[in-house]
C-alpha cells in the first residue's frame, strides 16, 4: 500500500469535499425551510464563478495587479450571487409556495436551464481559463506535494465560513427566526416572524456560500464554463442528502464523505467513472438510509 | 402609479443583475475586454415591460383565486375548447379523421425525390411525440417525476444498434426487443426507488440518467464510447430496395403508426382501472394506498410502461439516424421531454402531442429561435408552473354514463 | 375495564395490548378494543390522546411497536394484520376516512369513488389495452356501484364535478362513499363531523346509522362532537395520553368519574 498516494488522495478529497459542503449548505438550508430542492442552486454557484472571472479579467487586463484582485472579485461575485439567489426565489418559487409539491420542483428545473443557457448565450459556451489569483505560499514547504496553496486557501476559507454560518444561525436574530421557521412555518408566522424575509435571507445566505465555493473551485481547477453548475449542484445535493437534508452539520459531513469517496474511487478504480461514484453513493444512501447520516427519520403525519 | 414605480425599480434591478454578465465579455485569447452597453438598455426596457405585465397577471390570478374561494359550492368550470370538442362525438370524429388524413398525405406533399428534408424533420418530431406520450404516463398520469427518462431512449437506440450490427437482426425484430429492454431497465431501476418521495425520486432518476450516459461514453469496447456507433441499418421493407426519399417516408409511416398506437394505448389505460390508480397515486399517495391500491405495483407499472415507449422510440431513432452517440442522451434531452409534458398539460394526450411538435419543430424552422431554444424552455417551465400549471390543454374531465334508476340497496352496495 | 354490557354479534376486530412509540414518545400505550358485527364504536379523548395513531396502527399506515391486531373475516378465519400494508388491510375488509380530508382533488367525484373499487376488480394493463370483456364488465360495474354509493350519501348530482370543488361537508361524505366502495365489513371514520355545521352533523348522524343498518357494516369512529357520539354509539372507548381510561356503553361512560374528570369534566366546567 502506497501511503503517500493515499494521503494525497485524502487531502484532495477533503479539499473537494469542503467545497461540496459549502454548496450543500445552500441546498440543505433551503430544503429545511421550504422543502424544495433548489435545483438552480448550482447555477448560482456558476454565476458566482463567472462574475469573479469577469471582475478579475477586467482588473488584470486594465493593468491592475496584486493581491487585492481575489478578495475584490470574490466580494463582487458574492454580492451578485446573493442578488441572483434573492431574485430567483422571488420569481420562480414564491408564487408557488402553496402549489402541489411537483410544481416548484419543475419551476426550479426550468430556472436552472434558463440560467445555464443565459450565461452561455451572453458569455460563451466554451471553457474559459480562470486566472491564477492565489500566490504560492513559501511556508508550505514539503507540504506542497499533498496540497497546493489554493487548497490551503480553500480549507481556510471554508472553515471560517462555516464557523461564521454557525454563529449566524445560533446567535443572531435572523438565525433564530430561520430555526423557528424550519420547525414550523405557520407557528413562526403567528409569533411574528416575517417568514417571507426569512426565506429570502436563506436564499441569500445559501447563494453567498455557493459563490464562495464557485470562486474557490474555479481557482483550483483553473477553468470555468456555463455548465459547471449542473454537476456541482448534483454533487452538492448528494452531499446534503448524504448528511441528512435539512441538517447543517450533516451537509458538511456529507460533503467531506462524498469528496473523499469520489477521490478514492477515481484514484483507485477509474477516473472516467468519478461521477458514477457520486451518483451511486446518492442512490445507495437514498435507498438504504433516506434520512441521511445525521438525519432523523420523520414519520409523515396522516 | 405604484405599478409604474415598482416596474421602474424592477427594471433598474435587472439592469444591475445583468450588468457584469451581459455587458462585459473578457476575451482571454486576444486579452481584450468587450463592453456591450446596448445590452443593458434593452434589459432595462424589457424588464420594465415584463414587470408591468407580471404584476398585472399576478393580480388577476389572485383575483381569480379569491373568486373561487368565495364560492365554496360546486362551481362549474368553464369548459375549454378541447373539452367541448371531446364532448361532441361527431365533431371530434371529424377532426380526428382530418388530422389522420393530413398526417397520411403529408410526406408525399412536402417532399421530392431530391429534397425530403421536411419528412426527416417530421420523423424526428414524431419520435419525440412518442417520448412525450411515454413520459406522460410516468409524470403526467402517475406523478413520478423522472429526470432521466432519456436513458430508456438510449437503451432502445443502443439495443437496436448493437443487435443490428453485431447479430444482423432486422428492424422489426429489434423494435419490440428495444421496447422490452427499455421496460426491463425501467423495472430494474424502478424497483429500488419506489419507496422514495417525489423529489428524491427525481434526483435519483437524474442520477441514473447521468450514469447511463457516462457508461455509454466510457465503455468504448461495447458502446463505441463518445464516438458512438455508425452505419446502423435503416428499417427494411420486405427486402425491397428503397431510395432515400422512400426510406424516409417509410420511417415516417412507421413512427406515425407508433404514435397512433401510443395514443390508443395511453387513452385506453387512462380511462381504465389502471389509469385511475395512477392518477390517484399522483393526487394523494396515502389515501390511494388506504383505498386498497398496491403502491409498488402501480408505480412500477407506470414507470416501466413509460420506459417501454422510450425504448421503442429509441429503436426508431437509431434506425432513422443511422448513427448514435451519447450526446443525443443528455440531461437536456430529458428536460426537453419533460418540458413537452409540462407545457402540454400533465396527463393530457392532445396537449402533449401539440407541445412535442411545437418544441421540436419551432427550433428547426425558426433558426433564430434555435439559439434561444433552451433559454425559452427554461423560462416556459417556470412560467407555466406559475400561471398555467394545468398546461396548454387542460386534462379533460371524463364524463361517465350511468344508470340513474334507483337500485335496491341490497344489490347496489354489495 | 368496565365492559359490563353484554355485546351481541360476531367479533370482527380484536385489538389487544397495542403500543406505538415514536422515538422516545409513547403515543399509544397498551390499548385494547373489540368491535362486534353491527356495532358503532366510538373512540374519544382529548386532542393528542393517540386516537389517530391508533387508527393508523389498525389500518396499516404504521406498524405498531407491540400488540396484536386481529380480524375475523367473513369466512371465519382469524388473521393477525400487524405490519401488513394498508392496501392489503383494505383488501381484507377495513376501510377508513381521514381527519384532514384526503381526496383526489383533480379527479371527479365519481372517479374518487371508483378508486375504492380498485381492490375489488382485477382488470390488468393488458385487459385495459385490449379492451377485453372483463375490462368492460368491471368498468360498468364500477361505475354503477359507485354511482349508487354517491346516491346513498347524497352526492349523485355532482358526480361529474371535480372533488376539489365540493363543499367541506360534501367532501367528508365523499370520503365515506369512497371507503364504502371497497366493500368493508368495518368502516373507520376519523372525525367525520369536524368542521361541519349542526345541520350537516345531524345529517351525518343519520347517514352513519343508515350505513350500519343498510350496508351491514360495523363502524369505529373518532369524534369530538359528544352529542353525535352519545347519540349513535353502542360502545365507547376513552383515551387519554395514549392510555385507555374507560370503556363501556354511552350511559356508563357518562357516569364514569374518571372520564368526567379527564375529559367531559372540561366541558362541564366550561
Amino acid at each position: 500500500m502506497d501511503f503517500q498516494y493515499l494521503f494525497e488522495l485524502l487531502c484532495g478529497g477533503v479539499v473537494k469535499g469542503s467545497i461540496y459542503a459549502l454548496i450543500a449548505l445552500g441546498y440543505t438550508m433551503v430544503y429545511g425551510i421550504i422543502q424544495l430542492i433548489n435545483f438552480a442552486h448550482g447555477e448560482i454557484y456558476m454565476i458566482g464563478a463567472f462574475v469573479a472571472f469577469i471582475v478579475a479579467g477586467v482588473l488584470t487586463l486594465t493593468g491592475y495587479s496584486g493581491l487585492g484582485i481575489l478578495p475584490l472579485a470574490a466580494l463582487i461575485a458574492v454580492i451578485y450571487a446573493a442578488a441572483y439567489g434573492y431574485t430567483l426565489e422571488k420569481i420562480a418559487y414564491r408564487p408557488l409556495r402553496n402549489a402541489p409539491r411537483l410544481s416548484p420542483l419543475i419551476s426550479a428545473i426550468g430556472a436552472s436551464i434558463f440560467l445555464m443557457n443565459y450565461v452561455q448565450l451572453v458569455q460563451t459556451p466554451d471553457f474559459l481559463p480562470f486566472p491564477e489569483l492565489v500566490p504560492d505560499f513559501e511556508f508550505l514547504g514539503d507540504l506542497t506535494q499533498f496540497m497546493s496553496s489554493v487548497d490551503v486557501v480553500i480549507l481556510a476559507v471554508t472553515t471560517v465560513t462555516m464557523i461564521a454560518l454557525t454563529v449566524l444561525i445560533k446567535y443572531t436574530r435572523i438565525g433564530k427566526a430561520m430555526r423557528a421557521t424550519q420547525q414550523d412555518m405557520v407557528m413562526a408566522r403567528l409569533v411574528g416572524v416575517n417568514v417571507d424575509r426569512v426565506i429570502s435571507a436563506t436564499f441569500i445566505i445559501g447563494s453567498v456560500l455557493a459563490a464562495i465555493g464557485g470562486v474557490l473551485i474555479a481557482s483550483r481547477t483553473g477553468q470555468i464554463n456555463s455548465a459547471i453548475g449542473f454537476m456541482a449542484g448534483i454533487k452538492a445535493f448528494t452531499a446534503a442528502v448524504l448528511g441528512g437534508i435539512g441538517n447543517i452539520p450533516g451537509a458538511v459531513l456529507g460533503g467531506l464523505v462524498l469528496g473523499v469517496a469520489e477521490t478514492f474511487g477515481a484514484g483507485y478504480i477509474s477516473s472516467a467513472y468519478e461521477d458514477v461514484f457520486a451518483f451511486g453513493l446518492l442512490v445507495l444512501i437514498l435507498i438504504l438510509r433516506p434520512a441521511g447520516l445525521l438525519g432523523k427519520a420523520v414519520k409523515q403525519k396522516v | 402609479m405604484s405599478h409604474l414605480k415598482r416596474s421602474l425599480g424592477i427594471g433598474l434591478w435587472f439592469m444591475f443583475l445583468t450588468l457584469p454578465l451581459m455587458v462585459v465579455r473578457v476575451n482571454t485569447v486576444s486579452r481584450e475586454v468587450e463592453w456591450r452597453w446596448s445590452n443593458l438598455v434593452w434589459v432595462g426596457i424589457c424588464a420594465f415591460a415584463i414587470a408591468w405585465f407580471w404584476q398585472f397577471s399576478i393580480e388577476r390570478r389572485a383575483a381569480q383565486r379569491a373568486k373561487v374561494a368565495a364560492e365554496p359550492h360546486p362551481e362549474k368550470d368553464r369548459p375549454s375548447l378541447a373539452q367541448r370538442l371531446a364532448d361532441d362525438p361527431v365533431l371530434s370524429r371529424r377532426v380526428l379523421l382530418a388530422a389522420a388524413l393530413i398526417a397520411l398525405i403529408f410526406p408525399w406533399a412536402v417532399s421530392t425525390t431530391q429534397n425530403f428534408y421536411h419528412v426527416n424533420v417530421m420523423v424526428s418530431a414524431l419520435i419525440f411525440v412518442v417520448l412525450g406520450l411515454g413520459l406522460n404516463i410516468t409524470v403526467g398520469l402517475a406523478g413520478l417525476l423522472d429526470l432521466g427518462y432519456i436513458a430508456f431512449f438510449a437503451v432502445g437506440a443502443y439495443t437496436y444498434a448493437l443487435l443490428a450490427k453485431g447479430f444482423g437482426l432486422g428492424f422489426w425484430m429489434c423494435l419490440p426487443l428495444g421496447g422490452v429492454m427499455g421496460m426491463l431497465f425501467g423495472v430494474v431501476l424502478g424497483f429500488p426507488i419506489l419507496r422514495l418521495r417525489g423529489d428524491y425520486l427525481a434526483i435519483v432518476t437524474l442520477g441514473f440518467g447521468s450514469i447511463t450516459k457516462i457508461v455509454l461514453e466510457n465503455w468504448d469496447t461495447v458502446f463505441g464510447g463518445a464516438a458512438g456507433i455508425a452505419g446502423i441499418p435503416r428499417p427494411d421493407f420486405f427486402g425491397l430496395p428503397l431510395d432515400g426519399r422512400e426510406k424516409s417516408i417509410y420511417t415516417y409511416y412507421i413512427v406515425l403508426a407508433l404514435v397512433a398506437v401510443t395514443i390508443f394505448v395511453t387513452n385506453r389505460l387512462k380511462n381504465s382501472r389502471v389509469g385511475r390508480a395512477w392518477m390517484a397515486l399522483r393526487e394523494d399517495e396515502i389515501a390511494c394506498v388506504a383505498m386498497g391500491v398496491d403502491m409498488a405495483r402501480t408505480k412500477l407499472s407506470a414507470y416501466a410502461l413509460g420506459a417501454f415507449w422510450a425504448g421503442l422510440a429509441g429503436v426508431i431513432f437509431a434506425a432513422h439516424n443511422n448513427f448514435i452517440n451519447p450526446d443525443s442522451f443528455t440531461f437536456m434531452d430529458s428536460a426537453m421531454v419533460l418540458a413537452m409534458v409540462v407545457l402540454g398539460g400533465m396527463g393530457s394526450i392532445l396537449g402533449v402531442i401539440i407541445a412535442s411538435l411545437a418544441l421540436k419543430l419551432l427550433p428547426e424552422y425558426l433558426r433564430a429561435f434555435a439559439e434561444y431554444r433552451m433559454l425559452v424552455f427554461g423560462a416556459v417551465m417556470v412560467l407555466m408552473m406559475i400561471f398555467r400549471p394545468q398546461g396548454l390543454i387542460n386534462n379533460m374531465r371524463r364524463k361517465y354514463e350511468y344508470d340513474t334508476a334507483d337500485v335496491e340497496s341490497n344489490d347496489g352496495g354489495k | 375495564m368496565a365492559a359490563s354490557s353484554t355485546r351481541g354479534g360476531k367479533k370482527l376486530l380484536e385489538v389487544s395490548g397495542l403500543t406505538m412509540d415514536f422515538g422516545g414518545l409513547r403515543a399509544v400505550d397498551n390499548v385494547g378494543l373489540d368491535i362486534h358485527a353491527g356495532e358503532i364504536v366510538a373512540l374519544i379523548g382529548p386532542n393528542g390522546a393517540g386516537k389517530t395513531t391508533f387508527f393508523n396502527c389498525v389500518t396499516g399506515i404504521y406498524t405498531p411497536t407491540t400488540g396484536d391486531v386481529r380480524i375475523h373475516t367473513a369466512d371465519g378465519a382469524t388473521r393477525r394484520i400487524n405490519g401488513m400494508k394498508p392496501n392489503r388491510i383494505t383488501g381484507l375488509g377495513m376501510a377508513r376516512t381521514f381527519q384532514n380530508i384526503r381526496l383526489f382533488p383533480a379527479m371527479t367525484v365519481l372517479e374518487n369513488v371508483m378508486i375504492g373499487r380498485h381492490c375489488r376488480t382485477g382488470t390488468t394493463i393488458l385487459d385495459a389495452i385490449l379492451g377485453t370483456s372483463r375490462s368492460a364488465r368491471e368498468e360498468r360495474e364500477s361505475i354503477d356501484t359507485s354511482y349508487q354509493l354517491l346516491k346513498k350519501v347524497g352526492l349523485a348530482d355532482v358526480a361529474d364535478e371535480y372533488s376539489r370543488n365540493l363543499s367541506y361537508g360534501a367532501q367528508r361524505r365523499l370520503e365515506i362513499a369512497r371507503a364504502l366502495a371497497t366493500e368493508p365489513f368495518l368502516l373507520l371514520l376519523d372525525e367525520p363531523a369536524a368542521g361541519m355545521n349542526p345541520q350537516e352533523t345531524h345529517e351525518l348522524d343519520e347517514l352513519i346509522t343508515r350505513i350500519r343498518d343498510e350496508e351491514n357494516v360495523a363502524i369505529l369512529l373518532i369524534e369530538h362532537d359528544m352529542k353525535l357520539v352519545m347519540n349513535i354509539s353502542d360502545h365507547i372507548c376513552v383515551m387519554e395520553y395514549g392510555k385507555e381510561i374507560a370503556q363501556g356503553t354511552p350511559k356508563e361512560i357518562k357516569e364514569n368519574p374518571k372520564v368526567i374528570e379527564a375529559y367531559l369534566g372540561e366541558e362541564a366546567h366550561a
Side-chain angles (χ1 to χ4, degrees):
Chain A
M1 187 138 215
D2 182 352
F3 280 103
Q4 173 152 354
Y5 185 54
L6 185 103
F7 192 65
E8 206 181 297
L9 288 180
L10 187 67
C11 287
V14 168
V15 169
K16 210 172 176 187
S18 61
I19 294 180
Y20 287 157
L22 269 187
I23 315 172
L25 284 168
Y27 276 111
T28 253
M29 287 164 63
V30 167
Y31 194 94
I33 287 188
I34 52 174
Q35 284 78 49
L36 164 75
I37 298 176
N38 179 12
F39 216 88
H41 190 61
E43 264 48 62
I44 300 287
Y45 147 94
M46 178 270 294
I47 285 173
F50 254 93
V51 171
F53 166 80
I54 288 167
V55 173
V58 169
L59 286 177
T60 23
L61 291 183
T62 49
Y64 186 85
S65 65
L67 274 181
I69 294 185
L70 180 63
L72 189 64
L75 180 71
I76 296 180
V78 159
I79 291 172
Y80 267 98
Y84 270 94
Y86 171 79
T87 313
L88 170 74
E89 191 270 329
K90 275 230 153 168
I91 294 179
Y93 306 146
R94 186 161 299 183
L96 295 171
R97 190 89 37 90
N98 299 315
R101 231 179 135 93
L102 281 191
S103 300
L105 187 60
I106 291 172
S107 178
I109 295 165
S112 164
I113 296 173
F114 178 86
L115 287 174
M116 191 191 300
N117 285 277
Y118 153 73
V119 173
Q120 185 184 324
L121 283 171
V122 300
Q123 290 288 322
T124 167
D126 304 324
F127 269 100
L128 292 168
F130 198 83
E132 281 175 30
L133 299 169
V134 180
D136 283 332
F137 297 138
E138 301 280 327
F139 62 83
L140 284 177
D142 279 348
L143 213 62
T144 46
Q145 55 182 316
F146 301 116
M147 247 186 210
S148 66
S149 44
V150 178
D151 293 348
V152 175
V153 171
I154 289 174
L155 286 183
V157 172
T158 47
T159 312
V160 171
T161 312
M162 281 168 196
I163 292 172
L165 180 70
T166 313
V167 171
L168 180 94
I169 287 176
K170 273 224 157 111
Y171 301 108
T172 63
R173 217 177 122 79
I174 187 77
K176 278 179 196 155
M178 282 165 80
R179 279 183 286 148
T181 312
Q182 173 157 13
Q183 296 266 318
D184 189 335
M185 189 184 284
V186 177
M187 199 60 214
R189 187 175 275 142
L190 283 179
V191 296
V193 173
N194 186 339
V195 170
D196 283 343
R197 197 183 286 166
V198 168
I199 293 173
S200 288
T202 311
F203 272 86
I204 289 174
I205 296 169
S207 304
V208 165
L209 298 175
I212 296 175
V215 177
L216 291 175
I217 211 163
S219 308
R220 186 166 192 260
T221 57
Q223 56 173 11
I224 56 171
N225 86 345
S226 55
I228 56 169
F230 177 67
M231 201 39 90
I234 308 265
K235 298 283 180 63
F237 178 77
T238 306
V241 173
L242 198 58
I245 198 151
N247 182 318
I248 287 176
V252 178
L253 179 71
L256 291 176
V257 170
L258 179 69
V260 172
E262 219 182 82
T263 324
F264 274 91
Y268 282 116
I269 305 172
S270 160
S271 62
Y273 289 97
E274 188 178 328
D275 295 336
V276 173
F277 300 127
F279 285 126
L281 197 61
L282 173 68
V283 172
L284 276 184
I285 199 84
L286 280 178
I287 292 163
L288 300 178
R289 196 179 151 81
L293 297 174
L294 300 185
K296 271 180 283 191
V298 190
K299 279 230 158 66
Q300 190 179 359
K301 197 161 164 53
V302 178
Chain B
M1 201 61 214
S2 74
H3 272 193
L4 188 70
K5 243 188 189 161
R6 281 202 63 182
S7 306
L8 259 176
I10 291 170
L12 286 172
W13 174 251
F14 274 91
M15 285 168 83
F16 163 72
L17 269 186
T18 53
L19 178 65
L21 288 165
M22 283 189 83
V23 174
V24 194
R25 183 145 62 184
V26 179
N27 191 325
T28 47
V29 180
S30 64
R31 302 189 59 78
E32 276 168 354
V33 181
E34 188 188 339
W35 299 87
R36 299 166 295 175
W37 291 107
S38 62
N39 279 349
L40 199 62
V41 179
W42 284 114
V43 167
I45 294 171
C46 292
F48 175 78
I50 292 171
W52 182 277
F53 183 71
W54 180 278
Q55 289 178 36
F56 170 74
S57 316
I58 289 269
E59 243 166 49
R60 211 183 61 162
R61 199 185 64 154
Q64 268 174 4
R65 291 238 168 116
K67 214 178 84 192
V68 172
E71 297 175 50
H73 286 293
E75 146 243 16
K76 296 272 178 249
D77 295 80
R78 194 160 48 95
S80 62
L81 185 69
Q83 175 89 53
R84 268 175 289 168
L85 201 65
D87 287 348
D88 183 344
V90 180
L91 191 62
S92 59
R93 192 161 299 159
R94 275 183 197 160
V95 171
L96 207 66
L97 208 68
L101 263 175
I102 292 171
L104 284 175
I105 300 169
F106 173 85
W108 302 101
V110 299
S111 70
T112 62
T113 39
Q114 258 66 51
N115 183 352
F116 41 93
Y117 166 74
H118 299 295
V119 181
N120 283 338
V121 168
M122 201 41 122
V123 171
S124 309
L126 288 177
I127 288 174
F128 270 80
V129 170
V130 176
L131 278 177
L133 287 171
L135 188 63
N136 187 39
I137 295 176
T138 315
V139 179
L141 292 179
L144 305 167
L145 191 52
D146 186 346
L147 296 181
Y149 186 64
I150 212 75
F152 303 125
F153 186 52
V155 167
Y158 275 89
T159 302
Y160 176 56
L162 294 175
L163 289 179
K165 291 206 65 175
F167 302 93
L169 291 186
F171 172 82
W172 290 106
M173 184 71 160
C174 291
L175 186 63
L177 280 178
V180 169
M181 279 300 277
M183 189 153 78
L184 270 179
F185 263 73
V187 172
V188 169
L189 299 187
F191 198 71
I193 59 179
L194 289 173
R195 290 184 303 148
L196 300 178
R197 273 208 321 264
D199 37 7
Y200 279 8
L201 183 87
I203 293 290
V204 171
T205 52
L206 187 144
F208 278 143
S210 305
I211 289 177
T212 308
K213 181 167 178 274
I214 295 170
V215 170
L216 291 178
E217 268 171 354
N218 289 296
W219 198 347
D220 31 13
T221 50
V222 180
F223 301 115
I229 300 174
I232 303 165
R234 286 254 181 155
D236 50 317
F237 186 68
F238 306 111
L240 291 176
L242 299 173
D243 65 18
R245 181 200 188 200
E246 284 164 349
K247 274 182 189 163
S248 285
I249 292 179
Y250 180 47
T251 319
Y252 172 88
Y253 281 131
I254 293 173
V255 70
L256 189 67
L258 184 61
V259 168
V261 172
T262 316
I263 295 172
F264 175 79
V265 168
T266 318
N267 196 41
R268 273 274 169 93
L269 286 173
K270 203 175 134 180
N271 298 320
S272 75
R273 168 179 181 267
V274 183
R276 273 191 302 274
W278 286 337
M279 284 188 271
L281 200 66
R282 175 189 71 193
E283 301 286 315
D284 190 324
E285 224 166 77
I286 289 178
C288 185
V289 172
M291 288 309 117
V293 176
D294 186 332
M295 183 170 74
R297 187 187 287 186
T298 308
K299 272 190 181 176
L300 205 58
S301 63
Y303 199 71
L305 212 62
F308 177 72
W309 295 116
L312 289 180
V315 173
I316 297 182
F317 177 79
H320 176 63
N321 285 14
N322 300 130
F323 162 74
I324 49 171
N325 74 354
D327 286 343
S328 306
F329 312 108
T330 63
F331 168 70
M332 282 303 155
D333 297 283
S334 284
M336 192 164 79
V337 184
L338 180 66
M340 291 166 179
V341 177
V342 170
L343 186 66
M346 300 229 217
S348 159
I349 296 172
L350 180 64
V352 172
I353 294 172
I354 293 174
S356 308
L357 288 177
L359 290 189
K360 216 43 201 170
L361 294 179
L362 276 182
E364 202 63 50
Y365 289 111
L366 297 172
R367 279 293 160 189
F369 175 72
E371 200 183 333
Y372 300 98
R373 184 176 58 135
M374 290 315 287
L375 189 81
V376 173
F377 286 0
V380 159
M381 283 166 84
V382 176
L383 294 176
M384 288 301 281
M385 283 299 113
I386 296 173
F387 294 108
R388 211 178 152 77
Q390 73 273 37
L392 288 180
I393 307 280
N394 216 332
N395 187 13
M396 268 170 280
R397 179 182 346 174
R398 171 132 182 257
K399 291 217 173 80
Y400 294 85
E401 282 171 21
Y402 29 69
D403 190 6
T404 45
D406 264 311
V407 179
E408 286 305 309
S409 58
N410 52 12
D411 53 59
K414 291 278 154 167
Chain C
M1 223 188 285
S4 57
S5 55
T6 47
R7 295 168 70 183
K10 189 168 109 25
K11 206 182 266 183
L12 297 176
L13 175 76
E14 200 177 347
V15 182
S16 59
L18 187 88
T19 301
M20 179 76 204
D21 293 337
F22 292 108
L25 180 79
R26 183 151 287 194
V28 176
D29 188 0
N30 196 20
V31 175
L33 181 66
D34 292 347
I35 294 167
H36 299 251
E39 273 185 339
I40 296 178
V41 177
L43 190 57
I44 62 171
N47 284 320
K51 306 182 296 290
T52 296
T53 308
F54 179 86
F55 253 48
N56 288 341
C57 288
V58 171
T59 52
I61 291 186
Y62 298 155
T63 302
T65 315
T66 55
D68 289 310
V69 183
R70 286 200 177 81
I71 57 171
H72 303 276
T73 46
D75 53 15
T78 300
R79 306 186 67 150
R80 185 166 181 273
I81 59 168
N82 306 33
M84 225 180 239
K85 279 188 185 162
N87 53 303
R88 294 259 295 122
I89 292 177
T90 308
L92 286 173
M94 294 208 294
R96 67 173 294 176
T97 67
F98 293 90
Q99 186 178 346
N100 42 348
I101 299 170
R102 280 176 171 268
L103 287 168
F104 309 118
M107 296 171 78
T108 67
V109 168
L110 188 74
E111 282 171 334
N112 265 275
V113 184
M114 285 168 82
I115 289 295
R117 299 299 303 156
H118 186 91
C119 58
R120 300 288 170 241
T121 46
T123 301
T124 62
I125 293 184
L126 227 54
D127 283 327
I129 294 174
L130 300 175
T132 57
S133 62
R134 177 200 208 180
S135 141
R137 189 187 65 237
E138 287 187 349
E139 190 74 6
R140 186 76 258 149
E141 182 270 346
S142 284
I143 295 171
D144 292 338
T145 311
S146 304
Y147 188 75
Q148 291 307 323
L149 282 168
L150 283 179
K151 258 187 182 168
K152 203 154 278 168
V153 300
L155 292 172
D157 50 332
V158 289
D160 285 329
E161 227 15 270
Y162 283 121
S163 67
R164 60 164 180 260
N165 292 341
L166 294 188
S167 72
Y168 201 74
Q171 291 196 4
R172 288 228 176 265
R173 277 180 286 145
L174 176 54
E175 271 210 328
I176 294 176
R178 187 179 65 176
L180 281 176
T182 66
E183 294 174 15
F185 62 78
L186 175 63
L187 182 64
L188 298 96
L189 307 173
D190 196 347
E191 297 198 20
M196 283 189 172
N197 63 34
Q199 171 62 30
E200 284 173 321
T201 310
H202 181 67
E203 285 168 16
L204 182 74
D205 181 329
E206 285 176 354
L207 177 66
I208 293 175
T209 336
R210 212 171 71 223
I211 288 169
R212 190 247 325 248
D213 298 340
E214 288 179 6
E215 306 283 322
N216 191 24
V217 174
I219 289 161
L220 172 63
L221 77 161
I222 294 176
E223 190 46 68
H224 282 296
D225 189 315
M226 278 309 127
K227 203 169 142 236
L228 177 80
V229 169
M230 294 301 165
N231 259 347
I232 62 174
S233 310
D234 302 307
H235 185 81
I236 297 176
C237 172
V238 190
M239 283 178 74
E240 192 191 20
Y241 300 119
K243 289 193 172 66
E244 158 200 337
I245 58 171
Q247 278 201 32
T249 61
K251 192 160 166 290
E252 286 165 351
I253 293 296
K254 258 186 222 165
E255 289 159 1
N256 188 315
K258 254 165 112 185
V259 176
I260 295 167
E261 173 76 25
Y263 185 69
L264 294 176
E266 288 170 30
E267 285 187 358
H269 294 301

